[in-house]
């Protein structure tokens, strides 16, 4: 785990959040994973109740992963990393995967002028997600506003909620539109659908800063007398400023349709653990623990702890120079990955994934 | 027109409402109706912009009538009267009729425990509505939560609204559920759908006390740059206490599935214009202008002004005794009408009406 992340997890705020909301470090349940790669590379930080799902699995009880996407533009590598994680979890735990594509969310929050614009992006995004290799027999992708059941389940959830409850959780005010409030119920409907329709317990991979949605979903689940969804807290891929990549801030994100130059502009501006000069770095070595180029390599491309350690050691020993070795390597790996992904996205048959899209 | 109604229309409140909100007495546009029966019997009280629709019609531009029903129990005669009016308007103006069956409304307002309960009533109610003789080629009935387009159009409307706007119109508070707020957008979606999908101007028959919904719908229509819906204000059928029949107060309503005894209990308790004793009534005559039994006969059964006047004159002259003549006559007519209606409801093919129900 990087020192930054360690610092984050040690911070008083996070400690309090963990304690108050029943979140636990992922290391506590590392033994329940068939291998510890996801934990070793620092992609999974923490969880709530995921141990219950893994213990159920050991007794033959399947579970579902719900991980959505609001379609207002192309996917970026942060999304790809998240969905790759979901695919990996599907593989190792034989999990059913549910992927709501929330065109309704993007429209109601004003991120696209028309609902149809979000729909157009939905199909683009679905192609890229499906291209990551999900098992079509265990993966359910749907466009939220194009089903009949999302609205019906959202009504069911909404009836157990109050306007105050949403306002205090999300900070909505009376000058917002009423669809924004209702969307809180829609999102909970997405999360609870595998439980409603297939009687499966659910886990949602999410950022720690988004946990308020999970707590709301758990409150509603309890009021509806169904299983509360578990969560897996994920480390997001940092963009050039160190903050998570965001579609609405294109300067922070490396999109799947980026050309070589655009990709280089993002990668060249990532934080590194390098020294002030090449000479100094040869002499003193770099610090991979605070380096975002190293973090990207680890999360996106390295396959095991050994490979990671070897690379980190080369950095520390001064063998690697950020701008001459690591960034060009990352750029090459990214461009190669994207070329293959775009090719797969073009060829994938998305119909097989759209079973619940009605 | 009954004196009560005249009094209502003269009241300062109503006058102010008319002036402030552009509502006009129906008599002002009586000449635009092919016959004046609906106006003569006092069923139509007032309108907003309906003259625009009638003038458009004269130039070959069709219009749509939207009139919904929240399905939480059997229909009562008040609903039947309203839908009969809509059917009559369809006949005389060749109008397209849209009938949203709002299972979502009844569920989200807590009138039924489960959404599926409202759905069960929806099919029952649709049978009775269809049995009134609507033209299946010009009538669109749908169950709100079972379409995909209601939620999508509601999002479109919601994005033009604010939570404050709905709160101040409808008195919603933060302790309500968020679905109640969103339902304001759903209802506007119902009203504007004929305009969105068929480019038709819309008129909604409604009670004066419900006008706030129309004003909200008109504000949203303006923000969406589509035609504002017109309205026709309808006199509701009074129950035993003089207030409009209400499904949630069964003692006020004569339901379509009432047996003879239940129907008599409602009819026997209607207000009349009778005297203190039979003897006195023989001598002085009754007052049909304040009599709800007479109002029911007029609105539900009498066919023209002549028939109404003859009956009223018989009452005034003391020939009719409320409990001996008018109430038994009304009871007989109602039971006969309901027997035929139930028979028709059993036989009707509702599929022909459910074209927009997807």
């Amino acid at each position: 785990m990087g020192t930054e992340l360690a610092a984050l997890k040690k911070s008083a705020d996070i400690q309090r959040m963990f304690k108050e909301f029943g979140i636990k470090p992922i290391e506590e349940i590392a033994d329940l994973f068939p291998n510890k790669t996801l934990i070793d590379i620092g992609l999974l930080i923490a969880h709530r109740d995921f141990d219950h799902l893994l213990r159920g699995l050991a007794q033959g009880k399947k579970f579902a992963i719900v991980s959505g996407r609001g379609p207002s533009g192309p996917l970026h590598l942060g999304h790809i990393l998240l969905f790759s994680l979901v695919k990996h979890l599907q593989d190792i735990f034989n999990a059913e995967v549910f992927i709501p594509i929330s065109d309704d969310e993007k429209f109601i929050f004003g991120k696209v002028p028309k609902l149809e614009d979000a729909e157009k992006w939905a199909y683009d995004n679905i192609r890229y997600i499906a291209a990551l290799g999900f098992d079509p027999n265990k993966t359910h992708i749907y466009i939220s506003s194009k089903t009949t059941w999302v609205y019906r389940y959202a009504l069911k959830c909404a009836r157990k909620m109050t306007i105050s409850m949403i306002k205090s959780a999300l900070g909505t005010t009376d000058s917002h539109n009423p669809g924004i409030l209702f969307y809180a119920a829609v999102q909970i409907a997405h999360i609870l659908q595998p439980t409603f329709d297939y009687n499966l317990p659910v886990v949602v991979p999410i950022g720690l800063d988004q946990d308020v949605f999970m707590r709301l979903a758990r409150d509603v689940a309890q009021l509806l007398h169904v299983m509360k969804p578990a969560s897996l807290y994920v480390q997001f891929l940092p963009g050039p400023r160190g903050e998570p990549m965001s579609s609405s801030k294109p300067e922070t994100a490396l999109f799947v349709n980026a050309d070589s130059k655009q990709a280089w502009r993002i990668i060249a501006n990532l934080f590194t653990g390098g020294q002030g000069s090449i000479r100094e770095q040869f002499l003193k070595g770099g610090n991979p623990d605070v380096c975002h180029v190293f973090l990207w390599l680890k999360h996106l491309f390295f396959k095991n702890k050994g490979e990671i350690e070897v690379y980190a050691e080369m950095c520390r020993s001064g063998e690697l120079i950020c701008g001459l070795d690591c960034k060009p390597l990352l750029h090459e790996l990214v461009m190669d990955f994207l070329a293959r992904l775009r090719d797969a996205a073009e060829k994938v048959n998305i119909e097989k994934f759209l079973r619940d899209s009605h």
Side-chain angles (χ1 to χ4, degrees), chain A residues 58-59 76 79 85 95 100 123 125 135-136 138 169-170 203 236 249 278 294 311 316 327 331 349:
Chain A
Q59 289 156 20
H76 58 58
H79 304 126
L85 164 70
Y123 288 106
N125 292 180
D135 179 345
K138 288 186 288 184
L170 311 184
V203 64
F236 282 131
K249 298 174 194 157
I278 292 180
F294 181 64
Y311 198 88
R316 286 191 199 98
K327 285 177 176 176
H331 181 255
N349 173 9

Side-chain angles (χ1 to χ4, degrees), chain A residues 80-91:
Chain A
I80 295 296
L81 178 62
L82 178 64
F83 285 111
S84 298
L85 164 70
V86 172
K87 187 244 181 263
H88 184 73
L89 293 170
Q90 176 175 73
D91 290 346

